[in-house]
Amino acid sequence: MRRQTSISGINPAGSSRAMRLDPLSLPVSFAAHDVRADGGVRQVELHRERVILRRAVHGMRMAINVRVSDFLGVATREHSDGQALVLVHRDPSLSIPLCVSADASEIASAWRLWSDIFALPQLQDTSREPAPRRRRRNAIRARRPKFLVRRRIGNPRNTATVHHGEREIIARN
Protein backbone atom coordinates (compact mmCIF):
# COMPACT_ATOMS: atom_id res chain seq x y z
CA MET A 1 0.00 0.00 0.00
CA ARG A 2 1.47 3.35 -0.97
CA ARG A 3 1.60 6.38 1.24
CA GLN A 4 -0.98 9.00 0.42
CA THR A 5 -1.04 12.59 1.49
CA SER A 6 -3.75 15.17 1.37
CA ILE A 7 -4.32 16.95 -1.87
CA SER A 8 -2.58 20.29 -1.84
CA GLY A 9 -0.95 22.53 -4.36
CA ILE A 10 -3.83 24.20 -6.12
CA ASN A 11 -5.75 26.75 -4.17
CA PRO A 12 -9.48 27.26 -4.49
CA ALA A 13 -10.71 30.33 -6.34
CA GLY A 14 -10.25 33.42 -4.23
CA SER A 15 -7.65 31.86 -1.98
CA SER A 16 -4.64 34.06 -1.31
CA ARG A 17 -2.36 31.53 0.31
CA ALA A 18 0.69 30.43 -1.63
CA MET A 19 1.38 26.90 -2.83
CA ARG A 20 4.13 25.07 -0.94
CA LEU A 21 5.10 21.42 -1.27
CA ASP A 22 7.40 19.87 1.31
CA PRO A 23 10.31 18.03 -0.38
CA LEU A 24 11.00 16.06 2.79
CA SER A 25 7.56 14.43 2.77
CA LEU A 26 7.74 12.68 -0.60
CA PRO A 27 5.76 11.02 -2.14
CA VAL A 28 3.13 13.72 -2.43
CA SER A 29 -0.01 13.96 -4.55
CA PHE A 30 -1.58 17.26 -5.58
CA ALA A 31 -3.67 18.92 -8.28
CA ALA A 32 -2.07 21.37 -10.70
CA HIS A 33 -3.36 23.72 -13.39
CA ASP A 34 -3.37 22.28 -16.93
CA VAL A 35 -5.00 24.27 -19.73
CA ARG A 36 -5.33 21.28 -22.08
CA ALA A 37 -6.89 18.88 -19.56
CA ASP A 38 -10.60 18.49 -19.01
CA GLY A 39 -11.62 20.80 -16.18
CA GLY A 40 -8.22 22.56 -16.39
CA VAL A 41 -6.73 20.35 -13.64
CA ARG A 42 -4.32 17.41 -13.63
CA GLN A 43 -3.30 15.15 -10.75
CA VAL A 44 0.43 14.94 -10.04
CA GLU A 45 2.13 12.26 -7.96
CA LEU A 46 5.65 13.32 -7.08
CA HIS A 47 8.16 10.68 -5.94
CA ARG A 48 11.93 10.88 -5.50
CA GLU A 49 12.63 8.90 -8.67
CA ARG A 50 9.55 9.52 -10.83
CA VAL A 51 6.60 11.82 -11.52
CA ILE A 52 3.18 10.51 -12.54
CA LEU A 53 0.81 12.95 -14.30
CA ARG A 54 -2.83 11.93 -14.56
CA ARG A 55 -5.24 13.92 -16.68
CA ALA A 56 -8.17 13.54 -19.05
CA VAL A 57 -8.18 15.15 -22.49
CA HIS A 58 -11.49 15.09 -24.40
CA GLY A 59 -12.74 12.31 -22.14
CA MET A 60 -9.69 10.08 -22.60
CA ARG A 61 -7.90 9.45 -19.32
CA MET A 62 -4.14 9.07 -19.37
CA ALA A 63 -1.27 8.62 -16.95
CA ILE A 64 2.21 9.79 -17.92
CA ASN A 65 5.12 8.33 -15.97
CA VAL A 66 8.31 10.43 -16.25
CA ARG A 67 11.64 9.74 -14.54
CA VAL A 68 12.97 12.64 -12.47
CA SER A 69 16.30 12.33 -14.30
CA ASP A 70 14.48 13.26 -17.55
CA PHE A 71 13.76 16.75 -16.20
CA LEU A 72 16.21 19.55 -17.03
CA GLY A 73 16.34 21.02 -13.53
CA VAL A 74 14.61 23.19 -10.95
CA ALA A 75 14.01 26.82 -11.96
CA THR A 76 12.32 29.98 -10.79
CA ARG A 77 9.71 31.80 -12.85
CA GLU A 78 7.73 34.97 -12.40
CA HIS A 79 4.18 34.33 -11.19
CA SER A 80 1.17 36.53 -10.47
CA ASP A 81 1.58 35.82 -6.72
CA GLY A 82 5.36 36.45 -6.71
CA GLN A 83 7.81 33.79 -7.82
CA ALA A 84 7.22 30.15 -8.66
CA LEU A 85 9.60 27.23 -8.33
CA VAL A 86 9.15 24.78 -11.22
CA LEU A 87 10.50 21.33 -12.09
CA VAL A 88 11.36 22.03 -15.75
CA HIS A 89 11.00 19.46 -18.54
CA ARG A 90 11.98 19.84 -22.20
CA ASP A 91 8.27 19.61 -23.03
CA PRO A 92 6.66 22.64 -21.32
CA SER A 93 3.39 20.76 -20.75
CA LEU A 94 5.24 18.30 -18.47
CA SER A 95 6.76 20.99 -16.20
CA ILE A 96 5.60 20.72 -12.57
CA PRO A 97 5.03 23.66 -10.16
CA LEU A 98 6.65 23.02 -6.77
CA CYS A 99 6.27 26.25 -4.82
CA VAL A 100 4.69 29.69 -5.27
CA SER A 101 5.58 32.46 -2.86
CA ALA A 102 6.17 36.20 -2.65
CA ASP A 103 9.08 35.70 -0.20
CA ALA A 104 12.39 35.55 -2.14
CA SER A 105 14.31 33.94 0.73
CA GLU A 106 11.74 31.14 0.97
CA ILE A 107 12.01 30.51 -2.77
CA ALA A 108 15.84 30.45 -2.56
CA SER A 109 15.90 27.92 0.30
CA ALA A 110 13.24 25.73 -1.38
CA TRP A 111 15.18 25.97 -4.66
CA ARG A 112 18.32 24.53 -3.03
CA LEU A 113 16.37 21.84 -1.20
CA TRP A 114 14.42 20.62 -4.25
CA SER A 115 17.58 20.67 -6.34
CA ASP A 116 19.45 18.55 -3.77
CA ILE A 117 16.60 16.07 -3.30
CA PHE A 118 16.21 15.42 -7.03
CA ALA A 119 19.95 15.80 -7.83
CA LEU A 120 19.07 18.26 -10.61
CA PRO A 121 20.75 21.59 -11.43
CA GLN A 122 19.33 24.96 -10.45
CA LEU A 123 18.34 26.68 -13.69
CA GLN A 124 18.36 30.45 -14.03
CA ASP A 125 16.49 31.25 -17.24
CA THR A 126 13.54 29.10 -18.31
CA SER A 127 12.07 31.48 -20.89
CA ARG A 128 13.40 29.57 -23.87
CA GLU A 129 11.72 27.71 -26.69
CA PRO A 130 11.16 23.97 -26.30
CA ALA A 131 13.74 21.77 -27.98
CA PRO A 132 12.89 20.70 -31.52
CA ARG A 133 11.67 17.16 -31.98
CA ARG A 134 14.36 14.63 -32.71
CA ARG A 135 14.30 12.94 -36.08
CA ARG A 136 12.82 9.51 -35.97
CA ARG A 137 14.91 6.74 -37.36
CA ASN A 138 13.98 5.31 -40.69
CA ALA A 139 12.78 1.70 -40.67
CA ILE A 140 15.31 0.68 -43.32
CA ARG A 141 18.15 2.23 -41.31
CA ALA A 142 17.79 -0.45 -38.65
CA ARG A 143 18.26 -3.20 -41.25
CA ARG A 144 21.09 -1.83 -43.38
CA PRO A 145 24.51 -0.40 -42.53
CA LYS A 146 24.83 3.36 -42.81
CA PHE A 147 27.16 3.37 -45.78
CA LEU A 148 24.74 1.20 -47.78
CA VAL A 149 21.86 3.56 -47.08
CA ARG A 150 23.66 6.54 -48.58
CA ARG A 151 25.23 4.54 -51.45
CA ARG A 152 24.16 5.60 -54.90
CA ILE A 153 22.52 3.19 -57.28
CA GLY A 154 24.30 2.40 -60.53
CA ASN A 155 23.92 4.35 -63.74
CA PRO A 156 21.58 2.51 -66.17
CA ARG A 157 23.81 3.53 -69.11
CA ASN A 158 26.78 1.67 -67.62
CA THR A 159 25.10 -1.72 -67.41
CA ALA A 160 27.06 -4.86 -68.16
CA THR A 161 27.37 -5.65 -71.85
CA VAL A 162 25.41 -8.62 -73.15
CA HIS A 163 27.04 -10.70 -75.86
CA HIS A 164 24.61 -12.47 -78.23
CA GLY A 165 25.45 -15.21 -80.64
CA GLU A 166 28.69 -16.25 -78.93
CA ARG A 167 29.55 -19.64 -77.63
CA GLU A 168 29.49 -19.94 -73.87
CA ILE A 169 31.88 -22.06 -71.89
CA ILE A 170 29.25 -22.92 -69.30
CA ALA A 171 25.82 -23.73 -70.67
CA ARG A 172 22.79 -22.87 -68.58
CA ASN A 173 19.55 -24.73 -69.10
Side-chain angles (χ1 to χ4, degrees):
M1 187 155 127
R2 70 177 191 237
R3 179 180 168 202
Q4 293 188 2
T5 60
S6 65
I7 295 179
S8 64
I10 197 158
N11 300 322
S15 174
S16 63
R17 78 185 174 139
M19 176 185 131
R20 291 178 192 88
L21 296 176
D22 184 17
L24 301 175
S25 67
L26 293 178
V28 65
S29 178
F30 63 98
H33 179 70
D34 188 355
V35 292
R36 292 194 281 179
D38 294 347
V41 177
R42 65 179 170 187
Q43 288 299 113
V44 179
E45 288 182 33
L46 191 59
H47 302 264
R48 284 188 189 273
E49 63 278 347
R50 71 182 184 281
V51 175
I52 302 170
L53 303 168
R54 297 179 195 281
R55 66 181 184 175
V57 178
H58 297 294
M60 179 177 286
R61 295 185 325 190
M62 64 182 77
I64 303 168
N65 192 354
V66 183
R67 292 185 318 238
V68 169
S69 59
D70 292 340
F71 286 87
L72 299 175
V74 181
T76 58
R77 289 188 179 160
E78 292 300 319
H79 194 268
S80 60
D81 296 335
Q83 281 192 322
L85 197 60
V86 179
L87 187 59
V88 180
H89 193 270
R90 184 181 327 139
D91 182 2
S93 66
L94 296 179
S95 294
I96 309 290
L98 300 172
C99 178
V100 176
S101 178
D103 186 13
S105 63
E106 180 185 356
I107 289 288
S109 65
W111 195 10
R112 270 190 304 279
L113 194 55
W114 281 107
S115 177
D116 291 342
I117 293 236
F118 289 142
L120 292 173
Q122 295 178 353
L123 302 177
Q124 295 293 331
D125 185 28
T126 61
S127 59
R128 61 181 184 87
E129 294 292 320
R133 290 186 63 134
R134 290 175 40 189
R135 260 181 71 184
R136 295 180 186 232
R137 292 188 175 185
N138 193 351
I140 199 168
R141 188 178 187 282
R143 294 191 303 257
R144 299 178 65 193
K146 193 172 186 176
F147 79 96
L148 288 177
V149 171
R150 66 174 185 244
R151 215 172 116 190
R152 289 185 176 182
I153 58 173
N155 191 351
R157 285 185 268 158
N158 296 338
T159 58
T161 56
V162 178
H163 300 281
H164 295 286
E166 294 183 7
R167 187 179 165 134
E168 294 184 12
I169 297 174
I170 300 173
R172 295 187 179 102
N173 290 333

